[in-house]
Structure formats: C-alpha cells, structure tokens
Amino acid sequence: MPSTLDLYTKTTALPQGRRLFSILFSQKAPYFASIHLTVREMRPHYAEITIPKRRSVQNHIGTVHAIAVCNGLEAAMGLLAEATTPKDHRWLPKGMEVEYLAKSTTDLTCTAETTEADWAGAPDVPVTVKATRKDGTVVVEGTIRLWVTPKS
C-alpha cells in the first residue's frame, strides 16, 4: 500500500490534484471534513493546510471557532507525521497545548513543523503548530506532542 506522502506526490501532480488529495485525506479521517480543509503542502518536517472561514466553522461572534482551528492544526500535524515517521514506526498524538492569540477573522493557514533534532528525542516528538490569518497575524500557536514507537 502506498504511503500518504506517496499518494500526495502522485495526486498533486494531476489537474485538481490538491483538491482531490484534500478530499481523500478528509475521508481517511472524516472529522477533518468538517473544516473543509485544503492541503497546500506535505513533506518531511512540514505540512500546511488552509481552512476557509465558512458559516459551518464559525462561533457566536463570527470568527473561526477555536476547536475548528485546533482541528486544522491536528490535520497539519498528521500530514507532517505521515511524511516524517520512519516506515517501521508508528505515531500517536499524546497531547496538545495551544494559546489563542488573536481573533480568527479570515480564512486560516495552519502549519506544522519539526526539525531533525525534534525527532532525535523520540519517542516523545514535539510538533510546532500555528494558525495564521490572511494578513499574517498568528491567531493560535502551540505544540502537539507525538509518541513515536517501533511497529510491533
């Protein structure tokens, strides 16, 4: 079975490939479909998705709901983990710490980043995540911790 990264690489080479991969990814983890994400980039140590500001993800004050933002951050982290985890290992999220810094008043870009040094500390791997408005303002930032262990 091809890896998620292989599927991303092959699919995004096609016309409408990012849209197709985003739909496939959202079907693999159906909760991600609730934020209508688009996968922008996936590679080892980095992933980026966008969340459109739609009524279905807004809260009572008309901004993107905090949990929708966290969903986007977790989606980006999952893509990074799929692209970075060695083939003979598995990953599980073990915790998330985030800070809400500004109102989410536009579409958002959610990123996840690690370094080689982060992975050298396995099994506990910190993934730096952030969500940014169109004007460049960081609205949420934090860390998602992964537990990376050999497959049984």
Side-chain angles (χ1 to χ4, degrees):
M1 179 159 62
S3 72
T4 305
L5 182 57
D6 291 339
L7 184 61
Y8 171 80
T9 302
K10 289 177 184 172
T11 306
T12 57
L14 301 171
Q16 297 290 316
R18 288 195 195 296
R19 183 175 175 272
L20 177 60
F21 180 81
S22 299
I23 292 167
L24 293 171
F25 179 64
S26 293
Q27 293 305 305
K28 183 175 181 181
Y31 188 65
F32 292 149
S34 69
I35 58 172
H36 311 282
L37 65 81
T38 299
V39 177
R40 293 286 174 211
E41 188 171 351
M42 177 187 185
R43 60 181 159 82
H45 302 290
Y46 185 81
E48 180 178 307
I49 65 114
T50 57
I51 303 171
K53 183 180 177 240
R54 299 167 50 134
R55 188 177 189 295
S56 63
V57 297
Q58 289 181 28
N59 58 24
H60 65 288
I61 61 172
T63 61
V64 179
H65 193 284
I67 298 305
V69 178
C70 287
N71 191 3
L73 295 174
E74 189 169 0
M77 173 279 302
L79 289 164
L80 175 147
E82 287 289 310
T84 313
T85 302
K87 292 186 186 316
D88 60 344
H89 283 63
R90 65 180 179 169
W91 62 271
L92 292 168
K94 76 177 215 178
M96 174 188 272
E97 298 172 9
V98 294
E99 292 186 49
Y100 305 110
L101 305 172
K103 289 182 180 178
S104 301
T105 55
T106 68
D107 295 354
L108 299 176
T109 298
C110 296
T111 59
E113 293 185 80
T114 58
T115 64
E116 291 284 341
D118 294 327
W119 287 81
D124 188 20
V125 177
V127 179
T128 301
V129 293
K130 71 179 175 182
T132 309
R133 286 191 316 225
K134 283 184 173 183
D135 68 3
T137 301
V138 176
V139 297
V140 177
E141 67 182 3
T143 303
I144 300 175
R145 292 199 148 334
L146 299 179
W147 192 248
V148 181
T149 57
K151 291 180 180 175
S152 303

